[in-house]
Amino acid sequence: MSFIIYFALILIIPLWAQSKVKSTYKKYSKVPTSSAMSGAEVARKILDDNGLYNVAVEEVRGHLTDHYDPRSKVIRLSTDIYHGRSTAGAAVAAHEVGHAIQDAQDYAFLRFRSALVPVASFGSNISIFLIIGGFLLGMTGLALAGIVFFAAAVLFQLITLPVEFDASNRAMSQLVSTGVIRNDEERKTKKVLNAAAMTYVAGALVALAELLRFVFMFVGMNEE
């Protein structure tokens, strides 16, 4: 029974977080800001105000596919965000600019996360096969290697949390200081940023729970 509850939770938590993001975005994508600036205009203004003239702002296909590419120095905003003149659009655009500012200022957690990308990517792709193979074949070394690689992927998700929260804090500060939103619009903007942050928290919690499960299974395997 506890096994069923566990899997129900690791499925429900991410689905709840995604649902929260979608509903919050849908609500505040209909609420205009006092400045009536598009997401692209918000991003460009904050970048220029921080001297980041070398960072481009581009439109990208998809829904909520917004991201900052540190290698190309480009902020890519989904169509709705790029053209939209809403609270949600301003919040998302400013959040991505927050990452660009982190990059320009050599924010430690961002650098650490970038350094983890190769091993975390490898670990997330191969770890589960090593773990399952090790358990099925009774090869503790193989299972342990899989757990170590999986732990690297979990560490990446945990390091992502301060990176995302810091970007959101920078976004709020910049939106107010540049006059994109008024003080009385902060609460609405924070709701959008907080909802987005919950997806990262949910993902990290689920990944950490999975890692602990694998560790307990490994311990039990060695006790047999």
Side-chain angles (χ1 to χ4, degrees), residues 97-177:
V97 175
H99 287 308
I101 296 174
Q102 289 175 335
D103 186 25
Q105 296 180 353
D106 284 324
Y107 180 59
F109 282 112
L110 181 66
R111 290 285 171 261
F112 186 29
R113 186 179 72 167
S114 297
L116 282 174
V117 169
V119 66
S121 178
F122 180 77
S124 62
N125 290 328
I126 199 172
S127 61
I128 193 66
F129 297 106
L130 295 177
I131 293 170
I132 292 175
F135 287 148
L136 291 177
L137 299 174
M139 300 174 64
T140 57
L142 188 64
L144 180 59
I147 291 173
V148 170
F149 280 123
F150 190 81
V154 173
L155 178 61
F156 178 84
Q157 289 188 281
L158 293 176
I159 292 299
T160 292
L161 296 180
V163 173
E164 295 301 328
F165 283 122
D166 180 76
S168 290
N169 289 335
R170 292 173 190 263
M172 282 302 308
S173 176
Q174 292 293 325
L175 285 169
V176 174
S177 65

Side-chain angles (χ1 to χ4, degrees), residues 2 5 34 36 45 68 77 80 89 95-96 105 114 119 121 125 129 143 163 174 179 183 202 208 222:
S2 58
I5 294 174
S34 55
K45 177 173 177 53
Y68 168 65
L77 302 176
D80 289 346
H95 177 87
E96 298 310 327
Q105 296 180 353
S114 297
V119 66
S121 178
N125 290 328
F129 297 106
V163 173
Q174 292 293 325
N183 290 332
L208 187 59
N222 286 330

Side-chain angles (χ1 to χ4, degrees), residues 170-205:
R170 292 173 190 263
M172 282 302 308
S173 176
Q174 292 293 325
L175 285 169
V176 174
S177 65
T178 56
V180 174
I181 64 171
R182 298 190 306 252
N183 290 332
D184 61 350
E185 296 175 293
E186 287 187 51
R187 186 175 62 84
K188 298 173 184 177
T189 307
K190 282 182 179 178
K191 285 186 176 181
V192 176
L193 294 171
N194 289 341
M198 286 308 300
T199 61
Y200 294 101
V201 173
L205 286 175

